[in-house]
Amino acid sequence: MRTVEVTDHFSSLVLSKIKAYAELIKLRLSALVTFSAVFGYILGDRGVSFGWSGFLGLTLGGFLISGASCAANEILERDLDKLMKRTQNRPLPLKLISLQEALWVTSIVAIIGVGLLWYFTNPLTTWLGILSMVLYVFVYTPLKRVGPIAVFVGAIPGALPPLLGWTAATGAISHEALIIFGIQFIWQFPHFWAIAWVGDEDYKAAGFKLLPSGGGKDLNTAIQIMIYTLFLLPLGLLPSYFGLTGMTSGIVATVCGVLFLAQTFSLMKDCSRKSALRIMFGSFLYLPVVQIAYLLDKLP
């Protein structure tokens, strides 16, 4: 009986630690980031046979680099996370993981991720992956307390995954790569600002300044969200225009863009948290739906 209790206790500790590590690397966010990289790889692959080694190396390496970036962000913001309701239950504020342990895990995950990209893809993809980590951790993270310039800087590493996928498949940055980078780059603005609007009180408690127009939840900010969402309409048609995909995906991207844009008009009308929440969830749907449409409509 005693042995069973000890075993159950050990299993509980192991599961608790695994859960803490999953939260440290933001498992779900890292999986979404990896999906964008996979999208770029499949879209860019034009070989006679699919490059499985590069695909698997990119998938695992990209996931680990994203996880290491998220973990490093939590390490740097561990004291600020205690001030916000949405982050106060993270592993470091709750001391489920020690700082030294988090540093070791983050370093090992980052090194393995970079190593996988170097071995299975190419130097260009590896350096872009490193650039993504550096910008996210050492530039975007501290800038969040400076001003909305952080959103612009953060949009760069946020849009790099599909570019990494493309370069892993092709070994080069082409105009097609810049198109899929550009779509995800512009998408970041309504996405980030909707999140910042919904979590404004929490962010202010930590000193984060992410909203434009002086940080106000007002018409000026709503208009800026609308303008960036509007840019997605012509951008969404570029893969079809340049022959990367067919017209079906262009229609899907346009319909999704119009629906996304319509949500911003509600925010401009009432400047409410409810409208911002709709935009936030709309942004979560827009990107994967459009990217899947591009993949299904990919031209040979």
Side-chain angles (χ1 to χ4, degrees):
M1 189 69 174
R2 177 66 178 169
T3 304
V4 173
E5 290 178 357
V6 171
T7 303
D8 288 344
H9 179 66
F10 178 74
S11 299
S12 178
L13 287 176
V14 170
L15 288 173
S16 177
K17 186 65 74 173
I18 291 173
K19 184 179 178 182
Y21 286 146
E23 291 177 358
L24 181 69
I25 66 171
K26 296 181 183 175
L27 184 64
R28 284 179 293 181
L29 176 60
S30 294
L32 288 172
V33 169
T34 305
F35 173 80
S36 285
V38 167
F39 154 74
Y41 187 93
I42 296 174
L43 201 65
D45 185 78
R46 289 291 192 273
V48 177
S49 60
F50 189 73
W52 281 107
S53 61
F55 174 78
L56 294 174
L58 170 77
T59 301
L60 185 54
F63 175 79
L64 293 177
I65 281 180
S66 176
S69 300
C70 292
N73 172 267
E74 290 191 34
I75 290 170
L76 292 176
E77 294 183 347
R78 61 190 183 279
D79 293 328
L80 299 175
D81 282 345
K82 297 176 184 178
L83 306 175
M84 298 185 288
K85 292 178 182 178
R86 60 185 287 274
T87 57
Q88 59 190 200
N89 291 323
R90 284 177 174 174
L92 287 171
L94 291 180
K95 299 188 184 303
L96 299 175
I97 298 175
S98 69
L99 176 60
Q100 185 176 15
E101 186 180 356
L103 287 168
W104 273 108
V105 169
T106 303
S107 300
I108 291 170
V109 169
I111 291 169
I112 294 174
V114 170
L116 287 170
L117 289 185
W118 184 268
Y119 186 80
F120 288 103
T121 62
N122 51 63
L124 175 59
T125 303
T126 306
W127 285 114
L128 286 173
I130 293 171
L131 174 64
S132 176
M133 282 197 295
V134 170
L135 285 176
Y136 185 81
V137 176
F138 299 110
V139 185
Y140 164 69
T141 296
L143 279 179
K144 287 161 72 176
R145 304 190 80 197
V146 174
I149 184 64
V151 176
F152 175 82
V153 174
I156 298 173
L160 278 175
L163 184 62
L164 261 72
W166 185 277
T167 59
T170 67
I173 298 176
S174 62
H175 66 277
E176 296 99 335
L178 294 177
I179 288 170
I180 58 176
F181 169 85
I183 292 170
Q184 192 150 322
F185 177 78
I186 294 299
W187 168 85
Q188 303 276 330
F189 291 90
H191 172 70
F192 267 122
W193 285 334
I195 292 174
W197 189 303
V198 171
D200 186 54
E201 291 183 8
D202 248 3
Y203 284 131
K204 283 181 177 175
F208 293 157
K209 304 169 183 177
L210 299 176
L211 287 174
S213 302
K217 295 188 292 182
D218 53 25
L219 180 59
N220 287 331
T221 294
I223 289 173
Q224 292 205 47
I225 292 174
M226 182 275 292
I227 290 171
Y228 278 90
T229 307
L230 184 62
F231 283 143
L232 288 173
L233 291 176
L235 281 172
L237 289 170
L238 289 182
S240 299
Y241 179 79
F242 283 98
L244 186 57
T245 64
M247 277 307 300
T248 301
S249 59
I251 294 170
V252 172
T254 300
V255 171
C256 289
V258 169
L259 293 173
F260 194 7
L261 182 65
Q263 294 172 324
T264 68
F265 293 133
S266 296
L267 184 65
M268 291 168 59
K269 182 179 179 181
D270 57 27
C271 292
S272 68
R273 185 179 186 275
K274 186 177 181 181
S275 294
L277 200 60
R278 287 200 191 101
I279 294 173
M280 185 181 80
F281 285 121
S283 70
F284 283 126
L285 287 172
Y286 172 86
L287 195 64
V289 169
V290 170
Q291 288 180 337
I292 289 171
Y294 288 147
L295 290 181
L296 294 176
D297 199 33
K298 172 186 171 183
L299 293 179

